[in-house]
Amino acid sequence: MSINSSNGFPFFPGYTFRDTTKSAFHKSQTLSYKNGFALPQRPNVGIGQEPLLSEQLSLNEAKQVPYEIPSLTYGSVAKSRPLDFIPAHVVYDKKVLCFNGYFQQTVQHSPNEEYRVRPVIFYYYLEDDSMCVFEPKVENSGIPQGKLIKRQRLPKNDRGDHYHWKDLNVAMDLCVYGVTYRLTHCDSNTQDFMESQGLVLNDPEPIPSDPYAQLRTKMQPHIAYATPSDFDRLKQFITMDRKVLRFFALWDNTATLFGDARPVTIQYYLMDDSVEIREVHEPNSGRDPFPVMLRRQKVPKTIKPACEPFPTCVLEVSSQEVHEFYSPRDFRVGETLKLMGRNFLLYDCDEFTRAYFQQNHPDLPLNPVPVEKKAQKDTKKHVIPPYNGWGSLEDSLQNCLYFIPEPPKKDLMKLLENDHKVLRYAATLDSQSPQDTGRRFILSYYLSNDMVSIFELATRNSGIISGKYLEKTRISKPSSTVHNPQYYGPADFAIGSVIEVFKHRFLLTDADHYVLKYLESQADRIPTETVNSLRQRLGVGVSLPQEQSQTEAGELAHPAGTTPMPSGIHASFHSVQHPAAHQPVTPLGRTGCCWWHFFFFYIFCYITQIGY
């Protein structure tokens, strides 16, 4: 810590005090940079940030300090003020000498050249006497160019000496790492520095030309640069965007074998002066329906005479070969126009094209030419063959309308709204055969696609295998025709009605409570007789005594001659019943049916619905 002795006490032990507030004891910086130049800076404070004595003196006192020197015996000796010392790295900072030169590189195994002249630039940094060699890059030279020797002190001889700026001069050879460089000239700043140091520079020399570079210059074609046009393409793009001239024309192809006049549409885009030709296709013409006859492009009108002898089939037409392109003035209605070697008769145009020509080219008349149109042939109406009974009517009709049949369109909203909604009815087979007596069926109507499936219940000792009797399909009514098909719907399924399914008659005997609930929600589209038959069958709306209702409920749950269902099996039965069964299940069989018949029936309905 510093000692404070300016408190008036004598400078004796015990009379001095340390200043505890001071914490900086470093020496002040004397070098700084200003605008990229290194400059010396005189310190204002000393060690510990204490003010210097020289800073406390006034201007007059500071001037008298160098001259107040004690007199010697033989008089006073006047001494001059010493100059400020500036180091060399500050004086020569960012001062570089630049010399231009070249070296010759021997080329072997080449018949076109024996040596190659490679120009280089020497940079000598006066700050630390280092040098670097740089080669300017030449386009398409194929030689790694750029910095040949990085910045370093280059050795002069084997004794450890290095090159100094006093050893450099113009028109001299410089040997560096086994390569001999020839210094030819230098810049003006280098010349001024060398002359200020008393060195006389030799006369500059030109860099010899490279023989191979001269050969390549002769082989390159002469490029003639054209004067750029004053036409504003950007203005044309902005003002003429989406403005198209449309002409109706006939392509006269009668000169070829089996050729005829084919109608086309020529579109001229004012945005970029491009032309597009589209062919007008007629139905059943026998031609491939290509949409574009000529893609959108600028069509040349006249080609330069120098390019005419060249075969046009392989000539890549560009702006250098074309003398003039087609413009709107070349498209005149009523005249024949030749585009890409084909003749087109412009016989008419649209309203926008007429307005454009009247506004911009009033001197060009538009003379529409009447064109004889081909007489339309009487086409025979397609007769749909009669239905052969294979597949549904919709699928068989697709085979008659399309070469590659497409699936019939479905009502997606109906599929989404009525998904997993099924109306189930109990039915028996109305047949005169004694073998069909006692056969029981479950008829399921799917509201999502109006299809019907039939499942036959098992009957003990009947000899008939139970299971799926009819796959999901749409059932047509007996009175329907092929041209006017009519299908069974929920309105036709009344209790006691007979449904004819592919020459088989089924008598509806019972239904679920969900059927009645759904038909009541659609009462405006369902006949009243159908709803009343379900209400009468299910006993809805009929008031019965409590004991009688309980007795009938027990008979419905356990018909005569059947085994009661265990409670555990009954719970499992409700957990796997059909997803559409949102209502209490009423037994469909009345007599001669066991509880396990219903159990397997509902398991089958659940499996068929999930698509197992």
Side-chain angles (χ1 to χ4, degrees):
M1 295 186 177
S2 61
I3 299 176
N4 187 7
S5 60
S6 60
N7 48 15
F9 293 97
F11 191 66
F12 292 121
Y15 289 91
T16 59
F17 303 94
R18 299 180 182 275
D19 190 358
T20 59
T21 61
K22 292 185 178 181
S23 60
F25 302 97
H26 62 275
K27 189 176 182 180
S28 301
Q29 183 72 358
T30 58
L31 294 177
S32 65
Y33 277 85
K34 184 175 182 181
N35 296 332
F37 295 94
L39 299 176
Q41 181 180 0
R42 184 180 296 277
N44 297 327
V45 294
I47 298 176
Q49 301 296 326
E50 293 183 357
L52 297 176
L53 181 61
S54 60
E55 297 296 333
Q56 299 177 1
L57 299 178
S58 61
L59 181 61
N60 295 329
E61 293 175 350
K63 291 181 179 179
Q64 296 297 328
V65 168
Y67 304 103
E68 293 181 358
I69 300 175
S71 299
L72 300 177
T73 306
Y74 300 100
S76 61
V77 179
K79 295 183 180 179
S80 60
R81 184 178 180 180
L83 299 176
D84 295 336
F85 171 74
I86 301 177
H89 66 273
V90 176
V91 177
Y92 296 119
D93 184 35
K94 297 184 179 180
K95 291 185 178 181
V96 183
L97 305 182
C98 180
F99 293 89
N100 295 83
Y102 68 93
F103 71 96
Q104 290 186 359
Q105 180 183 6
T106 304
V107 179
Q108 300 178 356
H109 311 292
S110 176
N112 298 327
E113 54 181 343
E114 297 180 357
Y115 64 92
R116 184 178 297 128
V117 178
R118 301 176 61 176
V120 295
I121 301 175
F122 280 82
Y123 293 103
Y124 186 94
Y125 299 87
L126 296 173
E127 178 183 2
D128 54 355
D129 297 331
S130 61
M131 299 175 64
C132 74
V133 183
F134 181 83
E135 181 181 6
K137 293 185 179 181
V138 180
E139 185 179 3
N140 297 330
S141 64
I143 304 174
Q145 296 173 327
K147 186 178 291 186
L148 299 181
I149 302 177
K150 66 179 182 180
R151 181 177 173 179
Q152 57 182 296
R153 297 193 67 184
L154 300 181
K156 182 179 179 182
N157 47 40
D158 298 337
R159 296 188 298 272
D161 299 336
H162 297 84
Y163 279 106
H164 195 263
W165 57 267
K166 298 179 181 180
D167 302 326
L168 304 180
N169 202 336
V170 178
M172 64 167 292
D173 293 334
L174 193 67
C175 185
V176 178
Y177 296 124
V179 181
T180 301
Y181 298 90
R182 181 72 177 181
L183 303 182
T184 57
H185 59 282
C186 62
D187 58 358
S188 58
N189 295 330
T190 304
Q191 184 177 0
D192 295 341
F193 175 81
M194 300 293 281
E195 292 178 353
S196 66
Q197 299 298 328
L199 296 178
V200 179
L201 296 178
N202 301 329
D203 296 334
E205 298 178 354
I207 298 178
S209 58
D210 187 10
Y212 184 72
Q214 294 180 351
L215 179 62
R216 289 189 57 183
T217 305
K218 294 179 181 179
M219 294 174 58
Q220 291 180 354
H222 178 69
I223 302 176
Y225 296 95
T227 303
S229 176
D230 297 335
F231 185 75
D232 193 355
R233 293 289 179 182
L234 180 60
K235 180 180 179 181
Q236 180 187 10
F237 175 80
I238 295 175
T239 57
M240 296 299 179
D241 188 22
R242 298 186 180 183
K243 294 183 179 181
V244 183
L245 305 180
R246 187 169 62 171
F247 300 90
F248 304 103
L250 286 177
W251 173 29
D252 188 5
N253 194 30
T254 56
T256 61
L257 184 63
F258 305 112
D260 57 351
R262 299 165 61 177
V264 295
T265 302
I266 302 177
Q267 301 184 90
Y268 187 92
Y269 295 86
L270 298 173
M271 178 183 64
D272 55 355
D273 299 328
S274 59
V275 179
E276 182 184 47
I277 302 178
R278 290 179 172 269
E279 186 176 356
V280 179
H281 299 284
E282 298 178 356
N284 299 325
S285 62
R287 303 182 184 276
D288 293 335
F290 289 103
V292 179
M293 182 178 180
L294 177 66
R295 66 177 179 87
R296 182 177 173 181
Q297 58 181 304
K298 297 183 69 174
V299 180
K301 182 180 179 181
T302 57
I303 301 178
K304 294 181 180 180
C307 300
E308 289 183 356
F310 197 83
T312 57
C313 61
V314 294
L315 175 63
E316 296 182 359
V317 180
S318 63
S319 58
Q320 298 180 0
E321 288 82 12
V322 179
H323 185 269
E324 183 182 2
F325 290 95
Y326 276 101
S327 63
R329 296 185 61 88
D330 301 322
F331 293 83
R332 302 180 182 182
V333 178
E335 298 182 2
T336 302
L337 184 66
K338 190 173 184 179
L339 298 175
M340 294 294 185
R342 292 175 174 84
N343 295 324
F344 296 91
L345 175 61
L346 307 181
Y347 65 87
D348 203 355
C349 60
D350 59 356
E351 295 296 334
F352 174 77
T353 307
R354 291 193 184 94
Y356 175 81
F357 273 87
Q358 291 177 3
Q359 181 180 359
N360 298 277
H361 306 287
D363 55 328
L364 299 178
L366 300 177
N367 302 321
V369 178
V371 178
E372 296 181 1
K373 296 184 178 180
K374 296 181 180 179
Q376 296 183 356
K377 299 180 181 180
D378 296 336
T379 57
K380 296 181 180 181
K381 187 177 181 181
H382 182 60
V383 179
I384 299 177
Y387 177 60
N388 56 4
W390 291 92
S392 62
L393 291 175
E394 294 80 2
D395 291 337
S396 61
L397 183 61
Q398 297 297 322
N399 294 318
C400 302
L401 298 179
Y402 302 99
F403 182 75
I404 300 177
E406 298 179 358
K409 294 184 179 180
K410 299 180 181 179
D411 191 354
L412 296 180
M413 294 301 299
K414 187 176 181 180
L415 288 173
L416 296 176
E417 292 177 357
N418 300 317
D419 189 23
H420 297 302
K421 292 184 179 180
V422 184
L423 305 181
R424 295 179 300 171
Y425 300 87
T428 59
L429 193 61
D430 186 8
S431 175
Q432 300 297 330
S433 177
Q435 298 178 358
D436 297 334
T437 305
R439 297 178 65 180
R440 300 185 308 278
F441 299 88
I442 301 298
L443 189 145
S444 302
Y445 183 86
Y446 299 88
L447 296 173
S448 59
N449 50 13
D450 299 331
M451 290 187 177
V452 176
S453 67
I454 301 177
F455 180 83
E456 184 175 2
L457 298 176
T459 303
R460 180 176 295 180
N461 299 327
S462 64
I464 299 175
I465 300 176
S466 62
K468 186 182 295 184
Y469 183 82
L470 178 67
E471 187 66 43
K472 290 175 59 176
T473 183
R474 298 181 69 182
I475 302 176
S476 59
K477 297 180 180 179
S479 60
S480 65
T481 60
V482 177
H483 302 287
N484 186 20
Q486 297 179 2
Y487 299 96
Y488 281 108
D492 303 320
F493 296 138
I495 301 300
S497 61
V498 177
I499 306 300
E500 186 174 346
V501 180
F502 300 118
K503 306 301 181 178
H504 293 74
R505 297 166 58 86
F506 290 88
L507 177 64
L508 301 183
T509 59
D510 204 348
D512 285 343
H513 279 280
Y514 177 72
V515 179
L516 178 60
K517 181 179 178 181
Y518 175 77
L519 295 183
E520 288 178 348
S521 63
Q522 306 289 334
D524 54 340
R525 295 182 295 178
I526 304 300
T528 309
E529 294 78 5
T530 303
V531 179
N532 291 337
S533 66
L534 288 170
R535 290 176 178 173
Q536 184 179 0
R537 181 68 183 86
L538 299 175
V540 178
V542 180
S543 59
L544 297 175
Q546 183 176 2
E547 296 179 358
Q548 183 179 358
S549 60
Q550 293 178 358
T551 304
E552 292 186 357
E555 293 179 357
L556 292 175
H558 309 292
T562 60
T563 305
M565 182 186 298
S567 58
I569 300 298
H570 189 274
S572 302
F573 163 74
H574 281 285
S575 63
V576 299
Q577 58 177 293
H578 195 275
H582 306 290
Q583 67 285 339
V585 180
T586 302
L588 299 177
R590 295 299 179 185
T591 59
C593 182
C594 299
W595 61 265
W596 54 272
H597 292 165
F598 297 98
F599 176 72
F600 285 107
F601 161 67
Y602 280 104
I603 289 179
F604 172 78
C605 293
Y606 178 75
I607 293 176
T608 56
Q609 284 300 313
I610 65 175
Y612 182 74

